[in-house]
Amino acid sequence: MKFSNGKASDIQIAYIGGGSMYWAKNLIADLALDEELSGKVRLYDLDYGKAKKNEKLGNSVSDYAEAKSKWMYEAYETLADALTGSDFVFISILPGTFAEMHSDVHEPEKYGIYQPVGDTTGPGGLVRALRTIPMYVEFAQAIEKYAPDAWVFNYTNPMTLCTRTLYEVFPKIKAFGCCHEIFGTQGLLIRMLRDLEGIEELHRDDIRVNVLGINHFTWIDQATYKNVDLFPLYRQFVDKYYEEGFEHNKDAWKTNTYTAANRVKFDLFRRYGLIAAAGDRHLAEFVPPWYTKDPETVRAWKFGLTTVPSRVDKHKATEEQYNKLIGGQEKLVLKASGEEEVRQLKGLIGLQPFVTNVNLPNVGQMQGVPLRAVVETNAAFSGNSLRPVHAGELPVEVNSLVMRHVLNQETILKAALKRDKALAFSAFVNDPLVTIDIGPAEELFETMLGNTKAYLKGWEL
């Protein structure tokens, strides 16, 4: 890496999962739009051909008139070659195929267990973790060997366990997990100020929040705008929209299962007095089936169950558009994705220190949770440094909900590393969504493990 006139050049980024049709486009656009950074993105994917396609797309963007910087993209056939010499590592993969995802999400429905997402907790999230953790063991070992000083950005779910595995295998790794759910809640607070106070022209940075919790089950106990406490206003906002919900586009939840009317978020505020800071689809999976008892209950709370067939259809549509980009029939639109990887890069390089929420092992920044467990709080980015910001402690009634998942995640990690089916089942049956009797729970668990057995090497199934 080189520095000159407040700019950094020759930055080396290894991108694991570099054949993506989704996040890769965002990264290519975000990097091209920043004039202070330039360098090389080293693409690695199990499907080398897909990485070659992103090599072509990324390099073509450098010729765009609107591109503010030049980045070179190159596909590598081995992880070792991609990592060697890298300053930063991005990991964004799909652990498994749509077939395994279908089992994660829809097999539990046969037993009356509904999951709006199924990638973080619940039966689906836990089984997904069992097949993802071995992949992250390999990543951590490779990073330790070929890029031990690199900063590692993780974007894969289950976020907490992916990040936790990296540190378990390579304790000195410099890794953190990135999630945009908090940004959505800051956006909701901006819309609240617009709706109740008529305040326009707000940016997310104007809303200061203190974040506590674990990924997708995060909470805000302080929120301010120009040093004014937003909680009294949020209480009015919740009271005003509790029944009908509040969306950016009214009733979008009816046709788009990736959206919600925030009624779950509002209900949790009434129950606990804190702002639940993830999307309703995620939040609903961390508590007993208050909001997910059946499809009718889900509709009453105004969010959707995102089916895997709908994801497959979305994937096909994305692939068609992506192929047009690769073929040159269409041009990649350069617009900011809303992710923070560029600001985080600039923070770690020392160009733009700032504070944002990330997932890191607990070293005391969050009280009431075991040390080493991965938690999501604010952290300060500065030159080659990432320091967690002291977040405090959740109220006992909220922390008890969070701790159930923290301990379950630790159990799943241990089970995956030891290939211990009995231990994995103990976490599975302890999940708050698994309210069925022990016999059916064992049957469901065996079926789901069988459906993902191709990724469970060395297990006695």
Side-chain angles (χ1 to χ4, degrees), residues 403-423:
M403 274 297 296
R404 183 172 182 175
H405 293 281
V406 169
L407 297 177
N408 247 20
Q409 290 166 347
E410 290 295 306
T411 303
I412 280 289
L413 174 65
K414 187 176 180 181
L417 295 176
K418 291 188 171 185
R419 299 177 176 86
D420 188 328
K421 187 166 75 169
L423 194 58

mmCIF file of all heavy atoms in Angstrom, residues 403-423:
data_model
loop_
_atom_site.group_PDB
_atom_site.id
_atom_site.type_symbol
_atom_site.label_atom_id
_atom_site.label_comp_id
_atom_site.label_asym_id
_atom_site.label_seq_id
_atom_site.Cartn_x
_atom_site.Cartn_y
_atom_site.Cartn_z
ATOM 1 N N MET A 403 -28.993 -13.885 25.849
ATOM 2 C CA MET A 403 -28.068 -14.897 26.370
ATOM 3 C C MET A 403 -28.445 -16.305 25.938
ATOM 4 O O MET A 403 -27.577 -17.155 25.754
ATOM 5 C CB MET A 403 -28.026 -14.815 27.894
ATOM 6 C CG MET A 403 -27.022 -13.800 28.416
ATOM 7 S SD MET A 403 -25.318 -14.232 27.960
ATOM 8 C CE MET A 403 -25.110 -15.765 28.851
ATOM 9 N N ARG A 404 -29.731 -16.561 25.775
ATOM 10 C CA ARG A 404 -30.143 -17.888 25.311
ATOM 11 C C ARG A 404 -29.498 -18.209 23.966
ATOM 12 O O ARG A 404 -29.018 -19.319 23.733
ATOM 13 C CB ARG A 404 -31.667 -17.941 25.201
ATOM 14 C CG ARG A 404 -32.216 -19.301 24.789
ATOM 15 C CD ARG A 404 -33.727 -19.312 24.897
ATOM 16 N NE ARG A 404 -34.294 -20.616 24.564
ATOM 17 C CZ ARG A 404 -35.583 -20.932 24.660
ATOM 18 N NH1 ARG A 404 -36.431 -20.003 25.104
ATOM 19 N NH2 ARG A 404 -36.032 -22.121 24.322
ATOM 20 N N HIS A 405 -29.423 -17.207 23.109
ATOM 21 C CA HIS A 405 -28.826 -17.407 21.788
ATOM 22 C C HIS A 405 -27.303 -17.416 21.852
ATOM 23 O O HIS A 405 -26.656 -18.168 21.115
ATOM 24 C CB HIS A 405 -29.328 -16.331 20.828
ATOM 25 C CG HIS A 405 -30.788 -16.455 20.532
ATOM 26 N ND1 HIS A 405 -31.288 -17.363 19.637
ATOM 27 C CD2 HIS A 405 -31.864 -15.808 21.057
ATOM 28 C CE1 HIS A 405 -32.607 -17.263 19.594
ATOM 29 N NE2 HIS A 405 -32.980 -16.336 20.449
ATOM 30 N N VAL A 406 -26.731 -16.581 22.717
ATOM 31 C CA VAL A 406 -25.276 -16.585 22.877
ATOM 32 C C VAL A 406 -24.790 -17.979 23.270
ATOM 33 O O VAL A 406 -23.842 -18.526 22.687
ATOM 34 C CB VAL A 406 -24.840 -15.544 23.928
ATOM 35 C CG1 VAL A 406 -23.361 -15.731 24.295
ATOM 36 C CG2 VAL A 406 -25.078 -14.129 23.423
ATOM 37 N N LEU A 407 -25.446 -18.571 24.257
ATOM 38 C CA LEU A 407 -25.042 -19.888 24.725
ATOM 39 C C LEU A 407 -25.326 -20.956 23.681
ATOM 40 O O LEU A 407 -24.544 -21.908 23.514
ATOM 41 C CB LEU A 407 -25.751 -20.210 26.040
ATOM 42 C CG LEU A 407 -25.407 -19.262 27.209
ATOM 43 C CD1 LEU A 407 -26.222 -19.616 28.447
ATOM 44 C CD2 LEU A 407 -23.921 -19.296 27.526
ATOM 45 N N ASN A 408 -26.440 -20.824 22.973
ATOM 46 C CA ASN A 408 -26.738 -21.770 21.898
ATOM 47 C C ASN A 408 -25.690 -21.709 20.794
ATOM 48 O O ASN A 408 -25.283 -22.728 20.232
ATOM 49 C CB ASN A 408 -28.120 -21.478 21.321
ATOM 50 C CG ASN A 408 -29.106 -22.590 21.617
ATOM 51 O OD1 ASN A 408 -28.900 -23.385 22.517
ATOM 52 N ND2 ASN A 408 -30.183 -22.649 20.863
ATOM 53 N N GLN A 409 -25.268 -20.480 20.460
ATOM 54 C CA GLN A 409 -24.248 -20.320 19.422
ATOM 55 C C GLN A 409 -22.922 -20.918 19.852
ATOM 56 O O GLN A 409 -22.219 -21.558 19.042
ATOM 57 C CB GLN A 409 -24.099 -18.831 19.084
ATOM 58 C CG GLN A 409 -25.302 -18.269 18.344
ATOM 59 C CD GLN A 409 -25.319 -16.748 18.300
ATOM 60 O OE1 GLN A 409 -24.569 -16.075 19.016
ATOM 61 N NE2 GLN A 409 -26.178 -16.186 17.471
ATOM 62 N N GLU A 410 -22.564 -20.745 21.109
ATOM 63 C CA GLU A 410 -21.332 -21.352 21.604
ATOM 64 C C GLU A 410 -21.419 -22.880 21.545
ATOM 65 O O GLU A 410 -20.442 -23.566 21.236
ATOM 66 C CB GLU A 410 -21.058 -20.881 23.036
ATOM 67 C CG GLU A 410 -20.669 -19.410 23.145
ATOM 68 C CD GLU A 410 -19.346 -19.116 22.462
ATOM 69 O OE1 GLU A 410 -18.338 -19.790 22.777
ATOM 70 O OE2 GLU A 410 -19.301 -18.219 21.607
ATOM 71 N N THR A 411 -22.609 -23.405 21.826
ATOM 72 C CA THR A 411 -22.808 -24.854 21.778
ATOM 73 C C THR A 411 -22.706 -25.372 20.346
ATOM 74 O O THR A 411 -22.082 -26.410 20.083
ATOM 75 C CB THR A 411 -24.176 -25.221 22.373
ATOM 76 O OG1 THR A 411 -24.258 -24.724 23.716
ATOM 77 C CG2 THR A 411 -24.382 -26.732 22.397
ATOM 78 N N ILE A 412 -23.306 -24.657 19.409
ATOM 79 C CA ILE A 412 -23.243 -25.059 18.001
ATOM 80 C C ILE A 412 -21.807 -25.012 17.485
ATOM 81 O O ILE A 412 -21.363 -25.894 16.739
ATOM 82 C CB ILE A 412 -24.166 -24.179 17.140
ATOM 83 C CG1 ILE A 412 -25.609 -24.658 17.262
ATOM 84 C CG2 ILE A 412 -23.747 -24.171 15.683
ATOM 85 C CD1 ILE A 412 -25.907 -25.991 16.581
ATOM 86 N N LEU A 413 -21.052 -23.987 17.888
ATOM 87 C CA LEU A 413 -19.648 -23.901 17.487
ATOM 88 C C LEU A 413 -18.875 -25.128 17.984
ATOM 89 O O LEU A 413 -18.144 -25.774 17.223
ATOM 90 C CB LEU A 413 -19.020 -22.624 18.034
ATOM 91 C CG LEU A 413 -17.513 -22.484 17.805
ATOM 92 C CD1 LEU A 413 -17.195 -22.365 16.327
ATOM 93 C CD2 LEU A 413 -16.954 -21.287 18.570
ATOM 94 N N LYS A 414 -19.054 -25.441 19.238
ATOM 95 C CA LYS A 414 -18.373 -26.589 19.825
ATOM 96 C C LYS A 414 -18.786 -27.881 19.125
ATOM 97 O O LYS A 414 -17.947 -28.738 18.823
ATOM 98 C CB LYS A 414 -18.696 -26.660 21.321
ATOM 99 C CG LYS A 414 -17.924 -27.717 22.095
ATOM 100 C CD LYS A 414 -18.256 -27.623 23.583
ATOM 101 C CE LYS A 414 -17.500 -28.682 24.381
ATOM 102 N NZ LYS A 414 -17.848 -28.602 25.832
ATOM 103 N N ALA A 415 -20.085 -28.014 18.842
ATOM 104 C CA ALA A 415 -20.583 -29.214 18.170
ATOM 105 C C ALA A 415 -19.996 -29.348 16.771
ATOM 106 O O ALA A 415 -19.617 -30.447 16.344
ATOM 107 C CB ALA A 415 -22.108 -29.175 18.098
ATOM 108 N N ALA A 416 -19.920 -28.240 16.048
ATOM 109 C CA ALA A 416 -19.378 -28.277 14.688
ATOM 110 C C ALA A 416 -17.909 -28.649 14.691
ATOM 111 O O ALA A 416 -17.449 -29.447 13.858
ATOM 112 C CB ALA A 416 -19.584 -26.925 14.006
ATOM 113 N N LEU A 417 -17.145 -28.078 15.611
ATOM 114 C CA LEU A 417 -15.710 -28.362 15.661
ATOM 115 C C LEU A 417 -15.426 -29.799 16.093
ATOM 116 O O LEU A 417 -14.456 -30.417 15.636
ATOM 117 C CB LEU A 417 -15.021 -27.378 16.610
ATOM 118 C CG LEU A 417 -15.048 -25.901 16.184
ATOM 119 C CD1 LEU A 417 -14.409 -25.037 17.255
ATOM 120 C CD2 LEU A 417 -14.352 -25.699 14.850
ATOM 121 N N LYS A 418 -16.290 -30.344 16.957
ATOM 122 C CA LYS A 418 -16.094 -31.715 17.447
ATOM 123 C C LYS A 418 -16.866 -32.746 16.633
ATOM 124 O O LYS A 418 -16.746 -33.942 16.884
ATOM 125 C CB LYS A 418 -16.536 -31.807 18.919
ATOM 126 C CG LYS A 418 -15.649 -31.061 19.893
ATOM 127 C CD LYS A 418 -16.041 -31.379 21.323
ATOM 128 C CE LYS A 418 -15.030 -30.824 22.320
ATOM 129 N NZ LYS A 418 -15.354 -31.246 23.712
ATOM 130 N N ARG A 419 -17.707 -32.266 15.688
ATOM 131 C CA ARG A 419 -18.583 -33.150 14.910
ATOM 132 C C ARG A 419 -19.451 -33.998 15.852
ATOM 133 O O ARG A 419 -19.564 -35.225 15.714
ATOM 134 C CB ARG A 419 -17.770 -34.034 13.968
ATOM 135 C CG ARG A 419 -16.955 -33.240 12.938
ATOM 136 C CD ARG A 419 -16.105 -34.165 12.087
ATOM 137 N NE ARG A 419 -15.379 -33.448 11.044
ATOM 138 C CZ ARG A 419 -14.193 -32.869 11.216
ATOM 139 N NH1 ARG A 419 -13.599 -32.926 12.404
ATOM 140 N NH2 ARG A 419 -13.602 -32.232 10.224
ATOM 141 N N ASP A 420 -20.051 -33.314 16.810
ATOM 142 C CA ASP A 420 -20.808 -33.955 17.876
ATOM 143 C C ASP A 420 -22.301 -33.747 17.633
ATOM 144 O O ASP A 420 -22.842 -32.672 17.908
ATOM 145 C CB ASP A 420 -20.390 -33.363 19.224
ATOM 146 C CG ASP A 420 -20.983 -34.097 20.413
ATOM 147 O OD1 ASP A 420 -22.102 -34.620 20.304
ATOM 148 O OD2 ASP A 420 -20.310 -34.128 21.464
ATOM 149 N N LYS A 421 -22.976 -34.770 17.142
ATOM 150 C CA LYS A 421 -24.386 -34.651 16.783
ATOM 151 C C LYS A 421 -25.263 -34.434 18.010
ATOM 152 O O LYS A 421 -26.216 -33.647 17.971
ATOM 153 C CB LYS A 421 -24.840 -35.888 16.011
ATOM 154 C CG LYS A 421 -26.249 -35.765 15.441
ATOM 155 C CD LYS A 421 -26.542 -36.838 14.412
ATOM 156 C CE LYS A 421 -26.792 -38.170 15.049
ATOM 157 N NZ LYS A 421 -27.342 -39.168 14.106
ATOM 158 N N ALA A 422 -24.980 -35.113 19.092
ATOM 159 C CA ALA A 422 -25.782 -34.965 20.300
ATOM 160 C C ALA A 422 -25.700 -33.540 20.839
ATOM 161 O O ALA A 422 -26.703 -32.966 21.284
ATOM 162 C CB ALA A 422 -25.324 -35.968 21.363
ATOM 163 N N LEU A 423 -24.509 -32.975 20.810
ATOM 164 C CA LEU A 423 -24.334 -31.606 21.281
ATOM 165 C C LEU A 423 -25.077 -30.627 20.368
ATOM 166 O O LEU A 423 -25.710 -29.677 20.837
ATOM 167 C CB LEU A 423 -22.847 -31.262 21.326
ATOM 168 C CG LEU A 423 -22.428 -30.010 22.093
ATOM 169 C CD1 LEU A 423 -22.868 -30.089 23.542
ATOM 170 C CD2 LEU A 423 -20.920 -29.819 22.004
#
